[in-house]
Amino acid sequence: MKDKVIIHRLSTGVPGLDDILGGGLPEFSFNLIAGPPGCGKTTLAHQMMFSLASPQLRALYFTVLGEPPLKMLRYQQQFDFFDSDAIGRNIRFVNLSQDTLAGDLERVLKRIVEEVQTFNPAFVFVDSFRSVVLANRSGAGADNTLQQFVQALGMAMTSWQATTFLIGEYFAETDANPVFTVSDGLIWLRQSVVRNSMVRKIEIMKMRGQPTLPGLHTFRISAAGIEVFAPALDLVPLAPELSAGNPRLRMGVAGLDDMLGGGLPRGYSLLVAGPSGSGKSILAAAFLAEGARMGETGVIAAFEQHPAQSRSPTVARLIESGQVGLIDSRAPDLSLEETLRLLLSEIRRLNATRVVIDSLSGFELALAPTFREDFRENLARMVAALAGAGVTVLMTSELEDRYTDLRFSPYGTAFMTDAIIVQRYIELDSRLLRVMAVVKVRASAHSDALRLFTIDDSGLRIGNRLEDQEGLLGGRPTGKVPGGRARNRDGAGAERPPDPVSPA
């Protein structure tokens, strides 16, 4: 049996693109970059070209547009990837407008071959190939002539060992064009406007000889160029196991570790659910501050209020000192993949072990409308990816306190977390008080007691256990406790026994 031919894969230089391509771009391949106007085709081609071109591997860029190359470069040089020193040395631009307008594809092919033979490039770009198609449609037998042209161009580039890119303006994948069949790779770019959000997506519809990542993947065009937000495939979700090798983390709130059965197991995901003002963000801040005291770094994704503007300056100080990284995106077209990449980037930069997402309600509103429909599914993927990164995650969730409706998340996401803490309001003696309970800690015993807690300048303080729980979680609609008094088990001021512990 003969050995397999090894195809060398080229790194495109576009963040995230190599991941969805299946490891990079096959060398000497014949590729089409397609999509509607304004979706980023030319920007993607230029970004790859400036990354791939070198003195040893030069690039030749053919323009068949009505505008000269200088006009194109005027705008492309605004991107960070643009290198003016490479023009004329590693990269050469050739204008084929006059040859294309003549409608003679043989003339166009001859000109391309002549330039390739003269410059001897490793990479060839033809932008826009759509112009070649339109110029050819007027004659009889246009489709056959175009197919012959595409095949001849592909064979010529392969014989010269050049990796080729045709940039085409197409509105639908069903457009009849021989290049779709002849090409080795087909990269399709899309864009859509939903309300005030512009959402751009990329799909590898075809790439011969290698498995690509299926589906649509969001990308963003910024001053740095294009960045593709591919799923974190390099992370394998870890199933946390409570053992001697999986220590528990301290929460930073006195008494809460005991309620959790000794602290939160490392690598767990914790959901803190409660109504507005119940202290969810303060608990999250204490979680990060405790990590900093233990020499751990953290990351917070703030989707409601910037930590510097919040009631507690704790997180702001941690961010300023570099102990906590901040994800504070206000982009109107945010996607979950982008958020996850930002989180993972900060986790790796700081070697962080604790992550806070505050809150899921704000996170959903920050997403572009098109991503909110699959919020539950996307959130499950993000939690799994963060678990794979080995961090401990605390998420807050806003709940309307209805007293008779026991819920932990408006998204039905409670099942995907390893632990749940719920915070509620109750009315006692004409006062609105806060109570807290640990609902679950997977694979661990924990307290099942309701505990009163308060918030002061020092943070969150857990107080006495609430003796009579009737009517608090699903009982009387008023939320009042019979007798109107919260007391210890053995009476006011008496020393009470430890909280009962419920098995997982």
Side-chain angles (χ1 to χ4, degrees), residues 17 50 56 69 78 90 92 100 130 208 233 239 271 275 332 377 384 412 434 462 471:
L17 182 56
F50 279 99
Q56 297 76 29
Q78 306 303 316
N90 305 336
R92 181 182 178 187
T100 305
R130 180 73 167 179
R208 286 185 175 135
L233 297 181
L271 177 65
E377 176 185 348
R434 298 178 177 94
I462 296 179

Side-chain angles (χ1 to χ4, degrees), residues 196-235:
N196 292 326
S197 300
M198 168 66 77
V199 178
R200 292 185 169 94
K201 296 184 180 182
I202 186 171
E203 180 182 9
I204 309 302
M205 299 186 64
K206 176 183 180 182
M207 192 60 63
R208 286 185 175 135
Q210 63 190 49
T212 60
L213 193 60
L216 298 172
H217 310 281
T218 58
F219 70 93
R220 183 180 294 279
I221 302 177
S222 65
I226 287 178
E227 181 178 2
V228 180
F229 304 108
L233 297 181
D234 53 330
L235 300 176

Side-chain angles (χ1 to χ4, degrees), residues 19-296:
D19 295 332
I20 66 174
L21 282 171
L25 194 71
E27 192 175 26
F28 312 139
S29 57
F30 192 71
N31 307 282
L32 175 64
I33 302 175
C39 64
K41 301 183 300 296
T42 298
T43 301
L44 177 62
H46 278 213
Q47 189 170 349
M48 289 194 292
M49 180 178 64
F50 279 99
S51 176
L52 292 168
S54 67
Q56 297 76 29
L57 302 171
R58 298 187 294 180
L60 190 58
Y61 201 102
F62 293 99
T63 61
V64 290
L65 300 168
E67 58 183 9
L70 287 178
K71 184 178 180 181
M72 178 189 295
L73 294 177
R74 177 186 179 190
Y75 294 102
Q76 289 298 313
Q77 67 181 343
Q78 306 303 316
F79 291 104
D80 295 344
F81 61 75
F82 189 90
D83 182 7
S84 58
D85 295 335
I87 306 298
R89 183 186 61 186
N90 305 336
I91 298 172
R92 181 182 178 187
F93 285 84
V94 178
N95 194 344
L96 294 179
S97 296
Q98 295 302 319
D99 302 273
T100 305
L101 291 175
D104 187 350
L105 294 185
E106 290 186 4
R107 175 179 170 180
V108 175
L109 179 61
K110 182 180 179 181
R111 178 74 187 282
I112 292 176
V113 171
E114 288 176 352
E115 294 290 346
V116 170
Q117 290 175 341
T118 302
F119 195 65
N120 192 26
F123 308 100
V124 176
F125 297 80
V126 182
D127 185 7
S128 155
F129 188 73
R130 180 73 167 179
S131 302
V132 178
V133 176
L134 294 176
N136 177 66
R137 283 186 172 175
S138 58
D143 289 341
N144 291 333
T145 304
L146 179 61
Q147 185 168 358
Q148 293 172 5
F149 170 81
V150 172
Q151 290 175 340
L153 179 61
M155 292 178 61
M157 295 303 105
T158 302
S159 64
W160 282 97
Q161 293 189 331
T163 306
T164 308
F165 303 85
L166 307 183
I167 296 91
E169 189 172 284
Y170 299 94
F171 295 88
E173 304 91 320
T174 56
D175 283 358
N177 197 306
V179 71
F180 290 176
T181 303
V182 175
S183 63
D184 301 313
L186 179 52
I187 303 174
W188 206 281
L189 278 64
R190 295 173 171 83
Q191 64 180 7
S192 61
V193 178
V194 182
R195 297 180 184 175
N196 292 326
S197 300
M198 168 66 77
V199 178
R200 292 185 169 94
K201 296 184 180 182
I202 186 171
E203 180 182 9
I204 309 302
M205 299 186 64
K206 176 183 180 182
M207 192 60 63
R208 286 185 175 135
Q210 63 190 49
T212 60
L213 193 60
L216 298 172
H217 310 281
T218 58
F219 70 93
R220 183 180 294 279
I221 302 177
S222 65
I226 287 178
E227 181 178 2
V228 180
F229 304 108
L233 297 181
D234 53 330
L235 300 176
V236 179
L238 305 176
E241 296 181 359
L242 189 60
S243 64
N246 187 24
R248 293 184 182 255
L249 301 181
R250 298 179 62 88
M251 296 296 297
V253 177
L256 183 55
D257 293 336
D258 293 335
M259 294 177 65
L260 289 166
L264 184 65
R266 185 179 298 275
Y268 269 37
S269 56
L270 168 65
L271 177 65
V272 180
S276 178
S278 60
K280 302 182 298 296
S281 297
I282 295 176
L283 176 56
F287 175 71
L288 291 174
E290 182 63 23
R293 282 191 289 270
M294 302 297 293
E296 301 179 53

Side-chain angles (χ1 to χ4, degrees), residues 427-430 468 470 476 480-487:
E427 182 187 343
L428 291 178
D429 293 334
S430 300
D468 195 340
E470 182 181 356
R476 303 189 178 190
K480 294 183 178 180
V481 176
R485 183 183 298 272
R487 60 189 185 277

